[in-house]
DNA sequence: CGTGCGCTTGACCTGAGTCAATCCTGGTGG
DNA sequence: CCACCAGGATTGACTCAGGTCAAGCGCACG
């Protein structure tokens, strides 16, 4: 199983480009070290990590930040009674460890076998301070992670477990191994365990199992084996999962969509009638421009 | 009602300090414009906004960023069938509008009557680029907002509606008007509607109502009127809500705790036995330091 | 060939959502 | 000054989605 998982992880799109630690996503906004030479080899170390190991988090002295080279990390937190919520998955090319300075009960673990690149925190911070390019890259990466966290919050809050799982599967085609098939759809390799999916989506392994089998009955997908699905009707998953075509948190990693993902129109709250709008309290005495309806 | 709410909003701790737009929270890390003179008066405009107005979001051309001076904004997103999730409340002293460049279906609205300070986006970005002090202040603010979003995701994922509401009430003493009483506890003024609380916590107004009355029966609080509670047993709310003493996302705004908030010890997942740890793939041939257990 | 873990399946049951009626309060207009 | 109205909050009755508990099943590994 572990061996198999490891194989799968290595199937993951292998980013290349950064000469220092071979870590760079091949997406336009993901290149973390545009001028890679600035970090010497000595300051970056690569590690191979099996599944379910603590990488960094609360108790750990955050002397280092980590870049995911391959595999997936999970950021998680427990409740007193042991219930776990996974707050995000960290994708290849992404940095972790600089913004969770031990607060909360946040812990980062490997969700799959991973290769990680370790960088000294001081050095990282200096790079951030010195280079506006690095800052910009980090900023864009943070935006993506923030988008994903917002998505997750929204999904857990308003979607049913079934809708969440549909969304997850549809999105997973963007960041897990997915071989598109000529006859449509494709084969998706689920790299993480049922328990991780359940704790990410705020549901249970039993529900995950039931829902996937229900989706199979409905013809949305075929369960080849527990970690390999044939996605038959991706469009339907996208619709059920209410995925917006503009969702930016998951730039496609090696699996750009053949056709743009289109979603059904969006529901909105009742539009407020015009009525009294903003009123300026203008110290400078100018007539304020009312900016938006 | 609106008039009353407006009164309540004005009860909110009025930040002072920034000479430009009078917007600065009086917390150490919240001062956005340490050298305020750099922004001329002409470039900042103050607005008074009633409840439930769109401030910025998806469709809106983001030509401006906004600083909340008083009142609360809500960042929210709808599902196709009209269910709403509030992703965060924006507190006085915080900036909104620079990091949601129209993506997703995010909309920012006023949850209470507010006074806002509008700043030109270009100017704001230039300030960010030029001043590492401003960058740092923004960074810390983002960390707080991120902490709160993580908390919310976790709470919706693993806590029951009752636990979430307890947590919300306990946290609300930090950012809504709260008059501590000598005999313990204090009077909390809830500035936002039941519907907003429900959509923030991923539950319904009916549940909110039932739970608050149940808490009253249990002696945790007294419902003075729908928007004013006497918190009797704050400690119990904190425990039920599983609030960590280290939770940093909500620096106290004018309501520092008389005694430090202490929570019951935290539950953790089963600790993994030692076993094979990280193995270095060390290009440079050094012996890697195994960083963490 | 046994053992264990992860996944699946079934039975059960309850927490909390839904629907609908009622209450309350503040604002309005006569 | 009082009756009326609208919107928010509350309460009750009902229902069921999905969580919990408890077996089974099957593959991987030793």
């Amino acid at each position: 199983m572990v061996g198999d998982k490891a194989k799968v992880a290595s199937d993951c799109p292998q980013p290349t480009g950064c000469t220092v630690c071979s870590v760079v996503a091949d997406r336009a906004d993901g290149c973390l070290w545009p001028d890679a030479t600035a970090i010497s080899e000595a300051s970056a170390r690569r590690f191979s990590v099996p599944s379910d190991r603590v990488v960094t988090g609360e108790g750990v002295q955050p002397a280092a930040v980590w870049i995911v080279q391959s595999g997936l990390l999970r950021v998680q937190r427990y409740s007193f009674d042991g219930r776990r919520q996974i707050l995000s998955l960290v994708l290849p090319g992404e940095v972790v460890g600089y913004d969770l300075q031990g607060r909360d009960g946040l812990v980062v673990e490997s969700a799959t076998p991973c290769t990680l690149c370790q960088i000294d925190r001081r050095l990282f911070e200096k790079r951030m301070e010195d280079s506006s390019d690095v800052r910009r890259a980090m900023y864009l990466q943070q935006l993506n992670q923030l988008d994903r966290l917002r998505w997750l919050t929204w999904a857990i809050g308003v979607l049913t477990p079934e809708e969440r799982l549909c969304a997850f599967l549809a999105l997973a085609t963007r960041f897990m191994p997915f071989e598109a098939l000529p006859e449509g759809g494709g084969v998706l390799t689920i790299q993480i365990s049922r328990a991780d999916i359940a704790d990410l989506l705020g549901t249970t392994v039993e529900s995950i199992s039931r829902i996937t089998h229900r989706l199979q009955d409905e013809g949305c997908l075929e369960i080849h084996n527990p970690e390999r699905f044939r996605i038959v009707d991706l469009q339907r998953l996208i619709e059920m999962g209410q995925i917006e075509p503009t969702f930016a948190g998951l730039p496609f990693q090696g699996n750009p969509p053949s056709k743009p993902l289109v979603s059904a129109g969006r529901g909105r709250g009742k539009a407020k009638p015009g009525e009294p709008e903003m009123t300026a309290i203008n110290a400078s005495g100018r007539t304020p421009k009312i900016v938006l309806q």
Side-chain angles (χ1 to χ4, degrees), chain A:
Chain A
M1 172 67 88
V2 168
D4 187 47
K5 271 197 181 171
K7 187 176 70 64
V8 167
S10 69
D11 287 344
C12 215
Q14 271 294 354
T16 54
C18 171
T19 59
V20 174
C21 50
S22 313
V23 173
V24 159
D26 52 344
R27 29 178 170 134
D29 63 320
C31 184
L32 244 200
W33 311 108
D35 47 347
T37 49
I39 294 197
S40 74
E41 274 218 349
S43 62
R45 292 177 187 156
R46 292 171 59 199
F47 289 86
S48 176
V49 185
S51 283
D52 300 316
R53 290 292 169 278
V54 176
V55 172
T56 185
E58 195 177 35
V60 180
Q61 186 52 254
V65 297
W66 300 81
I67 303 183
V68 179
Q69 185 166 3
S70 69
L72 298 171
L73 301 181
R74 55 176 189 246
V75 181
Q76 63 190 23
R77 182 171 187 249
Y78 286 92
S79 68
F80 292 162
D81 53 331
R83 300 177 71 86
R84 178 182 64 152
Q85 179 64 45
I86 294 180
L87 295 169
S88 86
L89 296 176
V90 186
L91 309 184
E94 293 185 336
V95 180
V96 75
Y98 62 97
D99 67 345
L100 28 92
Q101 36 220 30
R103 13 205 210 177
D104 289 350
L106 257 41
V107 176
V108 181
E109 297 182 0
S110 49
T112 71
C114 295
T115 53
L116 304 177
C117 181
Q118 183 195 49
I119 294 179
D120 178 73
R121 167 176 280 272
R122 299 244 172 289
L123 185 62
F124 179 82
E125 282 171 356
K126 178 153 173 33
R127 291 280 295 152
M128 285 276 285
E129 191 58 40
D130 292 347
S131 161
S132 74
D133 284 343
V134 168
R135 275 207 306 276
R136 175 134 198 91
M138 280 303 298
Y139 175 69
L140 291 172
Q141 191 177 102
Q142 281 178 68
L143 271 193
N144 282 342
Q145 292 176 347
L146 184 57
D147 262 6
R148 301 207 303 265
L149 184 57
R150 281 183 185 137
W151 174 82
L152 182 63
T153 313
W154 171 83
I156 297 177
V158 303
L159 298 184
T160 66
E162 173 158 21
E163 292 170 323
R164 282 175 242 161
L165 183 61
C166 288
F168 173 79
L169 290 175
L171 294 175
T173 64
R174 300 200 201 177
F175 66 92
M176 287 183 181
F178 180 67
E179 307 162 30
L181 294 176
E183 61 265 36
V187 175
L188 175 67
T189 303
I190 302 291
Q191 298 178 288
I192 64 178
S193 68
R194 292 286 186 278
D196 281 352
I197 299 176
D199 288 349
L200 177 69
L201 301 182
T203 178
T204 62
V205 289
E206 291 93 336
S207 288
I208 298 293
S209 178
R210 277 185 253 273
I211 294 167
T212 52
H213 286 260
R214 195 188 314 154
L215 290 173
Q216 179 171 237
D217 294 344
E218 292 169 359
C220 278
L221 54 79
E222 293 162 16
I223 304 171
H224 196 69
N225 68 47
E227 53 211 15
R228 196 162 282 233
F229 296 165
R230 159 86 193 284
I231 306 291
V232 176
D233 193 347
L234 181 56
Q235 197 54 39
R236 187 163 156 67
L237 292 182
I238 289 170
E239 281 161 15
M240 303 247 322
Q242 304 194 20
I243 300 192
E244 304 248 359
T246 58
F247 181 66
L250 278 175
F252 290 88
Q253 292 198 310
N255 298 313
S258 48
K259 33 186 142 181
L261 306 177
V262 181
S263 72
R266 167 188 316 126
R268 269 298 127 79
K270 48 178 188 277
K272 320 279 176 187
E275 302 185 26
E277 283 313 327
M278 297 187 184
T279 57
I281 315 168
N282 212 327
S284 64
R286 303 156 156 254
T287 41
K289 183 175 58 176
I290 303 302
V291 185
L292 20 98
Q293 51 95 329

